[in-house]
Amino acid sequence: SLIWGSGIWLLYLLELAVLVIEGILYTKLLPRFSETPQNRGKIAGYTVAANLASFAAGLWLAVLIPGIF
């Protein structure tokens, strides 16, 4: 199956790594450089939502157009 076959698990691990790195960077840097106060919980929620949406779109494209990646 596409979800677990042919090394796709590596994509899951890489996406998780990206999510963690982006979450750390956003929650540390965005409040520092923003002119208005930022809620760290909302920043983390945005990070998770954006990464999940991006990953789901990538999986959908991989099913729709085999060999695109």
Side-chain angles (χ1 to χ4, degrees):
S1 92
L2 177 66
I3 302 302
W4 293 108
S6 56
I8 196 89
W9 58 269
L10 181 60
L11 291 178
Y12 290 116
L13 292 177
L14 291 173
E15 186 65 26
L16 181 63
V18 167
L19 180 115
V20 169
I21 292 167
E22 282 183 3
I24 290 169
L25 289 175
Y26 290 161
T27 55
K28 288 187 180 288
L29 297 177
L30 192 59
R32 184 184 305 171
F33 294 105
S34 177
E35 294 180 9
T36 59
Q38 301 295 318
N39 181 314
R40 290 179 188 265
K42 286 185 179 180
I43 294 170
Y46 168 79
T47 302
V48 170
N51 276 285
L52 288 176
S54 171
F55 188 67
L59 282 179
W60 178 73
L61 280 174
V63 170
L64 188 64
I65 310 169
I68 192 172
F69 298 108

